[in-house]
Amino acid sequence: MRSKWTSVLVMAALAGTMWTLGGGSPAQAQKVTTIRMVWQGEANELKLYQGLVSKFEQSHPDIRVNLETVVASSDPEYFQKVQVIAASGDYPDVIYGHYSWFPAALAKHFLLDIDPYLAKAGLAKSAYFPTAIQQFSDHGKLYALPRETSSIALYYNADMFKQAGLRTPNEYYAAGQWTWNTFLTVAKKLTRDSNGKSADQPGFNPNAIVQWGTVAPVNMPFGLFPVVYSFGGDVLDPTNTRCRLDRPAAVRGIAFLQDLLLKQHAGILPSQAQQTNLFANGKIGMMASGYWDIVVTGSAIKTFAWDVAPLPKGTIQSTRVATGAYAIPAKAPHPDQAWTLIRFLSQPDNTMELAHLGLIIPALRAAALSPEFLAPGKVPLHRKVFVDALAYGRLDPRTTHWAEMVDTLGSEMDLVWTGQKSPAAATGEACAKIDALLQH
Amino acid sequence: MTPRARREALTGFLLILPWGLGFCAFTAGPMAISLVLSLTKWDILTAPHYVGLANFANLWHDPLFWMALRNTLAYTVLTVPLSLAGSLTLALLLNRRVPAVSVLRALFYLPELMPTVATAIIWTWLLNTHFGLLNYLLSRLGLPQVAWLESTTWALPSLVLMGLWTIGGNRMLIFLAGLQGIPEELHEAAALDGASRGRRLWHVTLPLLSPVIFFNFVLGVIASFQVFTPAYIVTNGGPADSTLVYVLYLYRNGFQYFQMGYAAAMAWVMLLLLLAFTWVQFRLMQRWVYYEGGATPG
């Protein structure tokens, strides 16, 4: 008896749905094209994009947008999913993607050259930060429209500096004294054992550290590479076919980090610091990281004053810059409509809405340099250092073997941080393996 | 065949049809395709091309392949005996008529219900060099601190330790079921003959439990060969590839290094290794596995 009623209800529901579907469509005046956009984003970004898309659909009644949000824990993992979608032959029209997938996508002729669209729209590449354009260009042609950019700078616990009676990194920087040597001195003074002794005092016990001067910037790649760059080193040669990490300048940078960790005991490994969110808990003086940490870590800081400063200088002032962009797959079914959407999402007002969430620096220069974005007076006070760093920061070397290269190098570097290998020996072996990869 | 028997057979086939279709579409089909892919070079984005047995030849010369295989074997050699012994001991302890034993069984089973990722993250806390509970306990005992996850010596044993967290799970339940299938009168007879508890365990319980031990052993080896989640989440293969296990390296090749053909070849090598191992086990089984009816299957 009961099952009979259930089926009656199901039938009624089905009939109702069909009626609504059939009855709701008067003869359409225009042909409507549905395009798909594959992207990734966290909850706030998703909400924002849903709003932007419905705004877009209102102003473009001939285009509907299917927003496909990929849930991925990392950028490489996100790109795997895009790849798998593409491998099925079911090409999306718009992809948002991070720099790391670009070399491979480019080598496989996966993306459409968008220069003609830019020319037609009268859009100048110079409106964007040069590194952002460079990251997605090949032989002078642009393959993705930059959305955001980021650089690595130094977060610091301002209260901890004050209590130790130290000048802040920004003060040292203004005085032209913010070098890796100063950084080391400061880090040692901020590192404390359970008796309150700092790492530069006699009797300091390195086995009972309760407060660290810095997170050792050894994470791959955004911790290590800026250090290598500022010591005057390179990761690969200009043609991206040879590893250069075994050259003296890069080795000096890596040796500096090994010394910081193992001999001076003034740094903690990033993995240990992240597990317990040590910086936000006030146990760490300095931490090199990207713009996104203003929201990710900054919002977790409740008990102390903090700020950001440029990375210390080695032989040169440097850092690492990375970018994300919208692209159209070469085999996208509706490239024109895809461009219309990208154009809309990249408008200054829509870019600013995204920037307000706090995770990105707009790749559009006018937006990033606007007082609205730089928010003077808001914590962190020196947030402009991230934007300034875009002028001297470097892009990761471009290679299709990126993931393999980072893993190979990371494995050798692990042995440096534990003291099992010297920087020279480890980089020598890493470079031999990386060279073999790149010749492949 | 009588019409009735035919009808019954037909119903039977119809009933397993959904499973059969699912098996063909999602297991057998992909396996066949991966066998074909293992003979190709395929970057996922452009069309695959045939390279014969080159992937298998390259595996032979790939130091990371051997490293991954060695790590996986080490993990298996450590995990399987420890977890079998742990589960069996727990099952023996919980196989008694004491009050609230079912509550205890449920408590020991709980870790099995925890999502592996959540467990892995809890363990990174427990194993943290500076703030972890484990190192705190060591320091209370006056022992030196261990950099569990940052040391090439300790990272793999740390993963083994994490695996032991579920000794009270499914394996223990299977042991418990096996223990309860042992006829009471055999124990009574042995006790009447003056056999101590230890002798009864050795001469009655373990021989009668041997088919269950064998079952758990074979499944345990297969499962530990496929270990992936803790190595991916907790150590990501590091430090210095000391926890780069087989499936993690396979995954990296397939989805991060654009070498799907190579990854497919790795998958088939693993299948062959496991098949060989299981075959050997079934051969050796006759020496130590005792079936009560006297007949050994297979």
Side-chain angles (χ1 to χ4, degrees):
Chain A
M1 214 46 212
R2 186 136 153 220
S3 69
K4 203 166 168 186
W5 276 111
T6 316
S7 50
V8 167
L9 278 175
V10 169
M11 294 299 280
L14 278 176
T17 317
M18 283 195 263
W19 180 76
T20 334
L21 283 177
S25 59
Q28 300 262 333
Q30 287 168 298
K31 200 171 147 272
V32 173
T33 312
T34 302
I35 61 173
R36 289 166 63 219
M37 171 168 163
V38 172
W39 77 302
Q40 64 170 343
E42 44 84 75
N44 286 325
E45 289 175 317
L46 177 58
K47 228 164 79 189
L48 176 75
Y49 267 70
Q50 283 165 342
L52 288 178
V53 160
S54 63
K55 214 165 91 183
F56 175 78
E57 287 176 339
Q58 271 163 25
S59 55
H60 300 80
D62 56 331
I63 306 176
R64 312 236 78 201
V65 181
N66 274 344
L67 207 53
E68 283 178 25
T69 310
V70 174
V71 179
S73 64
S74 63
D75 295 315
E77 203 173 281
Y78 164 73
F79 187 51
Q80 284 159 34
K81 300 203 181 175
V82 176
Q83 257 181 291
V84 173
I85 292 170
S88 69
D90 190 14
Y91 287 86
D93 299 290
V94 179
I95 326 172
Y96 162 75
H98 214 229
Y99 68 93
S100 56
W101 57 266
F102 183 69
L106 190 68
K108 316 288 181 206
H109 308 289
F110 185 64
L111 302 175
L112 195 68
D113 158 23
I114 59 169
D115 270 0
Y117 286 114
L118 246 69
K120 226 160 75 188
L123 206 62
K125 290 180 190 174
S126 57
Y128 294 87
F129 286 105
T131 37
I133 293 294
Q134 193 192 332
Q135 187 136 54
F136 296 103
S137 294
D138 189 43
H139 293 97
K141 287 181 177 162
L142 190 64
Y143 289 85
L145 195 64
R147 186 187 82 167
E148 87 275 7
T149 181
S150 179
S151 62
I152 304 299
L154 192 77
Y155 289 74
Y156 65 92
N157 182 328
D159 282 358
M160 200 186 279
F161 274 80
K162 205 192 273 174
Q163 278 151 22
L166 293 166
R167 283 196 279 167
T168 68
N170 280 311
E171 285 163 354
Y172 278 117
Y173 183 76
Q177 294 168 351
W178 191 228
T179 62
W180 286 108
N181 283 336
T182 314
F183 172 87
L184 178 62
T185 313
V186 168
K188 279 161 74 175
K189 287 192 188 301
L190 293 175
T191 301
R192 298 287 160 87
D193 68 8
S194 50
N195 294 321
K197 283 208 156 66
S198 62
D200 59 348
Q201 281 176 324
F204 167 76
N205 178 6
N207 293 319
I209 302 178
V210 293
Q211 172 180 305
W212 286 264
T214 184
V215 178
V218 300
N219 0 22
M220 293 292 299
F222 73 77
L224 184 68
F225 287 8
V227 178
V228 167
Y229 295 152
S230 73
F231 272 79
D234 298 296
V235 176
L236 300 183
D237 72 351
T239 60
N240 293 324
T241 49
R242 285 259 167 218
C243 173
R244 284 271 179 91
L245 284 161
D246 54 354
R247 299 291 175 91
V251 173
R252 272 198 298 276
I254 292 165
F256 171 82
L257 293 173
Q258 190 189 39
D259 183 69
L260 172 81
L261 269 167
L262 300 179
K263 225 161 107 196
Q264 315 290 347
H265 305 287
I268 184 171
L269 285 173
S271 56
Q272 294 170 349
Q274 275 153 16
Q275 278 160 27
T276 42
N277 208 358
L278 275 190
F279 183 80
N281 285 320
K283 302 279 184 206
I284 288 179
M286 300 175 280
M287 173 180 78
S289 191
Y291 182 80
W292 65 87
D293 252 336
I294 291 182
V295 169
V296 177
T297 297
S299 62
I301 300 175
K302 308 283 182 218
T303 54
F304 57 87
W306 58 282
D307 204 346
V308 290
L311 284 185
K313 191 178 160 180
T315 55
I316 53 167
Q317 182 78 44
S318 191
T319 187
R320 170 178 179 266
V321 171
T323 309
Y326 300 111
I328 307 172
K331 293 186 185 162
H334 312 291
D336 292 346
Q337 288 85 347
W339 171 255
T340 312
L341 175 65
I342 291 177
R343 205 45 212 108
F344 174 84
L345 293 172
S346 310
Q347 279 168 211
D349 53 339
N350 294 333
T351 303
M352 277 314 290
E353 277 199 53
L354 182 65
H356 280 315
L357 296 180
L359 290 163
I360 62 137
I361 301 172
L364 208 53
R365 271 161 65 166
L369 294 168
S370 67
E372 191 191 348
F373 176 73
L374 293 172
K378 219 171 119 195
V379 172
L381 287 176
H382 288 81
R383 64 171 67 208
K384 189 164 180 285
V385 299
F386 286 103
V387 181
D388 294 340
L390 296 173
Y392 55 75
R394 287 173 65 172
L395 296 171
D396 285 330
R398 180 180 293 176
T399 163
T400 52
H401 296 287
W402 173 253
E404 232 172 325
M405 184 183 95
V406 169
D407 286 342
T408 305
L409 179 60
S411 295
E412 289 293 336
M413 287 303 113
D414 285 343
L415 297 172
V416 175
W417 316 138
T418 54
Q420 287 160 278
K421 257 188 196 177
S422 72
T427 50
E429 280 184 43
C431 275
K433 289 182 199 165
I434 291 170
D435 282 345
L437 263 180
L438 297 175
Q439 309 306 317
H440 207 50
Chain B
M1 210 187 246
T2 65
R4 188 195 158 91
R6 257 224 314 268
R7 218 172 39 242
E8 273 184 2
L10 194 68
T11 318
F13 280 122
L14 276 176
L15 284 173
I16 61 164
L17 190 64
W19 176 84
L21 287 177
F23 177 77
C24 291
F26 298 114
T27 305
M31 276 179 75
I33 292 169
S34 89
L35 185 60
V36 174
L37 284 178
S38 72
L39 304 174
T40 68
K41 195 170 161 58
W42 188 40
D43 61 20
I44 306 188
L45 288 173
T46 48
H49 62 262
Y50 179 77
V51 293
L53 293 173
N55 286 329
F56 294 92
N58 289 342
L59 274 179
W60 187 262
H61 300 290
D62 180 353
L64 280 183
F65 165 77
W66 293 106
M67 173 78 110
L69 193 60
R70 214 187 62 199
N71 288 340
T72 308
L73 282 174
Y75 178 85
T76 304
V77 166
L78 287 171
T79 297
V80 174
L82 286 175
S83 63
L84 277 184
S87 296
L88 182 57
T89 311
L90 259 185
L92 287 168
L93 291 173
L94 292 173
N95 185 36
R96 320 174 159 211
R97 291 193 196 86
V98 290
V101 71
S102 53
V103 174
L104 280 176
R105 286 176 192 165
L107 283 177
F108 279 108
Y109 189 77
L110 273 183
E112 187 83 47
L113 299 176
M114 295 265 295
T116 7
V117 174
T119 314
I121 288 169
I122 291 172
W123 274 98
T124 62
W125 266 81
L126 294 175
L127 296 168
N128 185 298
T129 311
H130 303 285
F131 303 99
L133 184 68
L134 221 63
N135 271 351
Y136 173 74
L137 294 176
L138 287 181
S139 73
R140 290 302 294 265
L141 294 171
L143 293 168
Q145 305 213 324
V146 176
W148 294 103
L149 299 172
E150 286 84 27
S151 128
T152 46
T153 317
W154 288 105
L156 194 70
S158 298
L159 296 193
V160 172
L161 191 67
M162 283 180 217
L164 296 180
W165 164 250
T166 55
I167 52 169
N170 293 336
R171 216 177 310 110
M172 196 267 290
L173 277 194
I174 296 171
F175 275 133
L176 210 51
L179 284 173
Q180 290 174 354
I182 296 174
E184 197 66 28
E185 61 265 25
L186 292 178
H187 279 291
E188 278 167 17
L192 279 177
D193 286 343
S196 66
R197 285 179 83 102
R199 290 188 74 90
R200 273 177 358 231
L201 175 68
W202 190 251
H203 291 290
V204 179
T205 310
L206 288 183
L208 288 174
L209 202 60
S210 59
V212 181
I213 298 175
F214 177 68
F215 175 80
N216 272 338
F217 178 63
V218 171
L219 284 196
V221 169
I222 293 174
S224 78
F225 245 81
Q226 296 174 341
V227 62
F228 173 74
T229 318
Y232 180 60
I233 306 235
V234 178
T235 54
N236 194 18
D241 300 322
S242 59
T243 57
L244 181 72
V245 288
Y246 199 95
V247 180
L248 179 60
Y249 188 50
L250 188 159
Y251 165 84
R252 284 187 179 173
N253 273 303
F255 293 100
Q256 295 183 339
Y257 302 165
F258 308 101
Q259 299 180 357
M260 194 50 98
Y262 197 61
M266 278 190 78
W268 278 89
V269 168
M270 176 151 117
L271 179 76
L272 293 179
L273 281 173
L274 283 175
L275 270 179
F277 170 82
T278 309
W279 180 76
V280 169
Q281 280 315 302
F282 270 88
R283 293 299 300 260
L284 290 176
M285 169 183 92
Q286 281 140 17
R287 301 207 186 146
W288 65 276
V289 176
Y290 172 79
Y291 284 91
E292 214 189 340
T296 42

